[in-house]
Amino acid sequence: MLKQAVVAGASIGAVIGASFLNGVPLSVLKRTVMEAAAKSQNPALKILHPSYSIEELLKAGLNELPQDAHLKANGRLFVSLTKYGTRSENSRVLDRLSSFESKNVMVSNWVSREELVQCLVCSCFIPAFSGLRVPRFRGELYIDGGFTNNLPVVQEPSITISPFTGHADISPRDPTRDSPYKYFSVGNDQYALTFDNLWKLAQSMVPTDMDELEDLYRRGYWDTYNFLKGKGMLSSHHST
């Protein structure tokens, strides 16, 4: 299944997709995320400090992609971007928010590794949090694809994955809950209105300590394992 898979994603989901298609080990991705989170907790390098650059940390992590990464991703990776169109030519975020307009763009072909990396950087860019200057891809301004399509589906059947409790096939569940969830929409996706989801949203902006991040990693692993086991998709050596 995975050898022929087409992957679509926004933000870090697109980064994971690009890494997966290029054979970058999950352990490398995990280490990169944990290192970025650790730096954010250094009192001298808080997230909003000018010397703390999410974009530079992301590019450093993407150094693991091989030189022919774009060739392996072409036609198999679909990256969700939000076009950052405004009535002003000034590219500084704080000057442009009042005239903000946006639409979703899906990109699935690149001419170079550098172009792929820049596309992924744009898909992960959150105004103000990531910086005060919106990055460009092919001459246009783009920000996090999650604002307009956070759970892109480009073919059926598909397996959708989300770190937030919602309608995705693989996502956190509360087996003790009896009443149905109430939902709210963000970027073409539905999220359950729960304390756990709100806490995760806060954590995504200000990462928590390493132990809690490890716990999230383990929970994600077992959510995936249980879904695949329930669908009979695990090979025999993974069945125990």
Side-chain angles (χ1 to χ4, degrees):
M1 178 181 67
L2 296 179
K3 288 181 180 179
Q4 302 300 320
V6 170
V7 182
S11 193
I12 196 64
V15 173
I16 293 173
S19 301
F20 160 71
L21 293 175
N22 279 279
V24 178
L26 184 61
S27 59
V28 173
L29 288 175
K30 178 186 175 184
R31 186 184 70 237
T32 300
V33 172
M34 297 292 272
E35 287 176 353
K39 287 183 179 180
S40 76
Q41 294 170 12
N42 185 330
L45 287 176
K46 290 298 184 182
I47 284 181
L48 296 180
H49 192 278
S51 60
Y52 184 88
S53 172
I54 295 293
E55 182 174 333
E56 292 306 313
L57 289 171
L58 179 59
K59 286 183 176 179
L62 291 172
N63 282 337
E64 298 292 338
L65 292 176
Q67 289 302 312
D68 63 346
H70 60 294
L71 299 179
K72 295 178 181 178
N74 280 347
R76 293 188 64 194
L77 175 67
F78 290 76
V79 178
S80 173
L81 299 168
T82 297
K83 190 170 183 179
Y84 193 73
T86 70
R87 295 187 295 270
S88 169
E89 291 301 319
N90 188 333
S91 61
R92 289 192 176 278
V93 173
L94 298 180
D95 294 335
R96 300 167 68 94
L97 290 178
S98 61
S99 57
F100 179 78
E101 301 169 3
S102 63
K103 70 174 184 178
N104 187 253
V105 175
M106 298 292 292
V107 180
S108 60
N109 284 276
W110 301 268
V111 299
S112 67
R113 176 187 180 279
E114 290 69 27
E115 192 178 56
L116 170 61
V117 168
Q118 188 59 27
C119 180
L120 295 172
V121 167
C122 287
S123 185
C124 292
F125 186 89
I126 300 175
F129 171 75
S130 300
L132 297 179
R133 186 169 293 276
V134 179
R136 291 181 181 270
F137 173 67
R138 295 174 181 169
E140 299 286 344
L141 298 170
Y142 290 97
I143 60 174
D144 195 317
F147 287 116
T148 48
N149 190 353
N150 197 43
L151 200 66
V153 174
V154 296
Q155 68 174 28
E156 294 289 358
S158 289
I159 298 174
T160 53
I161 306 170
S162 175
F164 300 102
T165 301
H167 293 310
D169 297 314
I170 300 175
S171 67
R173 295 288 188 268
D174 182 359
T176 65
R177 186 184 179 95
D178 296 325
S179 59
Y181 291 115
K182 293 183 179 180
Y183 290 90
F184 63 98
S185 299
V186 177
N188 201 33
D189 194 7
Q190 296 286 315
Y191 300 96
L193 188 58
T194 67
F195 176 81
D196 191 50
N197 271 356
L198 295 175
W199 177 241
K200 284 179 185 173
L201 283 171
Q203 286 179 319
S204 68
M205 302 297 288
V206 183
T208 185
D209 62 64
M210 300 298 103
D211 289 339
E212 288 199 43
L213 290 177
E214 282 283 357
D215 181 61
L216 286 173
Y217 177 83
R218 288 192 294 269
R219 288 167 60 186
Y221 176 91
W222 286 112
D223 285 339
T224 304
Y225 176 89
N226 290 328
F227 172 83
L228 295 176
K229 184 178 181 180
K231 296 293 184 179
M233 294 180 179
L234 291 179
S235 57
S236 57
H237 66 281
H238 285 143
S239 61
T240 58

